[in-house]
Amino acid sequence: MGIPKFFRFISERWPLISQEVDRSEIIEYDNLYLDMNSILHTCTHSNDGTINHLTDEQMFGAIFSYIDHLFDTIRPRQTFYMAIDGVAPRAKMNQQRARRFRTAVEAEENLQAAIDRGDTLPKEPPFDSNAITPGTEFMAKLTENLKYYINKKVSTDSNWQNINIILSGHEVPGEGEHKIMEYIRVQKAQPGYNVNTRHCVYGLDADLIMLGLVSHEPHFSLLREEVFFGPKANQAKSSDLSKQNFG
């Protein structure tokens, strides 16, 4: 669910907990886990109220490129786990319902503001971020495309071969981060588990900080885009992934 403003709170008080990733000196990780909903929202719409329209093919292409970039940055040696949010517990469903009504209202307000500014609007309706919900047609289509993408990468990319590739789709109940933690707990319970396994989890929700601590794993890292606070917070984010810094 995330913890509002928690990441900013700890980043401003203990700035050394977040360090920029240096691709030339990055340590080797055994397992890489992706909280896919962070990628889905990043690649399908902006958070500044800008009205834009991307086709499904463009959105899927952006998602696949982002996955490639994260994989090539970490290069896991054993397991690559991709988790999409499934049906959430009832408490979060109530929160999501209120948030999605608010999102719909904000979308109408942004559209009216764009019309008032005289912006050129696309003929097709803009992408509705509420489509990133378990059980929607968009999510079903995304899952099928992800399966095709994974099969293609395993067939053509040697880095994707000889490791475990796991996709937990929207049809599997539970939030992405909790499905990831459940997988880690199950692996720890297996005989012969290596206690020095290095885990790297990508996700933007601050609750991953708590989940990482309670995993009691000695080698556990969180990966996320570089975030600015204060005067730099509103600076434009580059769409060139090669210029995107991670911490």
Side-chain angles (χ1 to χ4, degrees):
M1 288 181 66
I3 308 174
K5 300 184 179 179
F6 179 67
F7 180 72
R8 177 171 183 171
F9 173 82
I10 63 173
S11 295
E12 291 179 339
R13 283 159 178 76
W14 299 283
L16 293 181
I17 67 168
S18 181
Q19 300 180 12
E20 183 177 340
V21 172
D22 185 345
R23 291 180 176 83
S24 63
E25 300 179 358
I26 193 169
I27 63 175
E28 292 185 338
Y29 285 95
D30 298 299
N31 301 341
L32 172 62
Y33 313 90
L34 303 185
D35 181 5
M36 289 292 294
N37 278 60
S38 300
I39 299 176
L40 301 187
H41 285 282
T42 298
C43 295
T44 56
H45 63 95
S46 63
N47 292 321
D48 58 3
T50 303
I51 303 297
N52 54 17
H53 176 81
L54 299 175
T55 65
D56 287 350
E57 289 71 19
Q58 289 173 318
M59 288 187 285
F60 295 155
I63 292 168
F64 300 157
S65 295
Y66 216 98
I67 294 174
D68 280 342
H69 185 62
L70 293 173
F71 185 95
D72 292 339
T73 299
I74 302 300
R75 291 185 178 274
R77 299 184 299 177
Q78 295 180 8
T79 301
F80 183 38
Y81 191 106
M82 292 169 279
I84 301 175
D85 283 0
V87 176
R90 183 58 183 266
K92 186 177 181 183
M93 289 176 66
N94 292 336
Q95 184 220 37
Q96 286 178 326
R97 185 176 294 111
R99 188 168 62 192
R100 283 169 182 149
F101 276 116
R102 186 171 65 250
T103 298
V105 173
E106 290 175 351
E108 290 184 1
E109 293 175 347
N110 291 333
L111 179 60
Q112 186 59 49
I115 294 174
D116 294 340
R117 291 194 303 267
D119 295 348
T120 302
L121 302 178
K123 296 180 181 178
E124 303 84 356
F127 177 73
D128 183 3
S129 61
N130 285 335
I132 306 177
T133 303
T136 63
E137 182 180 351
F138 173 79
M139 295 301 289
K141 190 173 181 180
L142 171 64
T143 300
E144 291 303 314
N145 279 269
L146 277 172
K147 291 178 180 178
Y148 171 80
Y149 161 76
I150 293 171
N151 287 329
K152 181 180 179 182
K153 294 295 292 186
V154 171
S155 301
T156 60
D157 192 337
S158 60
N159 292 322
W160 286 62
Q161 299 168 1
N162 301 319
I163 66 172
N164 298 321
I165 308 293
I166 302 172
L167 172 63
S168 180
H170 70 109
E171 66 277 6
V172 181
E175 294 182 82
E177 58 263 39
H178 292 287
K179 291 195 282 188
I180 290 171
M181 298 308 300
E182 177 65 20
Y183 175 81
I184 294 175
R185 286 192 291 267
V186 170
Q187 293 305 305
K188 288 180 65 177
Q190 302 302 313
Y193 174 76
N194 182 6
V195 295
N196 291 316
T197 299
R198 293 185 177 274
H199 307 273
C200 180
V201 181
Y202 167 84
L204 301 181
D205 286 348
D207 57 348
L208 283 170
I209 299 172
M210 301 298 186
L211 293 173
L213 291 173
V214 301
S215 71
H216 300 293
E217 285 292 285
H219 307 291
F220 196 102
S221 302
L222 299 180
L223 179 71
R224 59 183 295 158
E225 292 87 356
E226 186 177 24
V227 179
F228 296 98
F229 302 111
K232 296 183 179 180
N234 295 323
Q235 69 180 20
K237 182 179 177 180
S238 174
S239 58
D240 186 352
L241 293 178
S242 64
K243 298 179 181 179
Q244 175 64 62
N245 294 326
F246 291 89

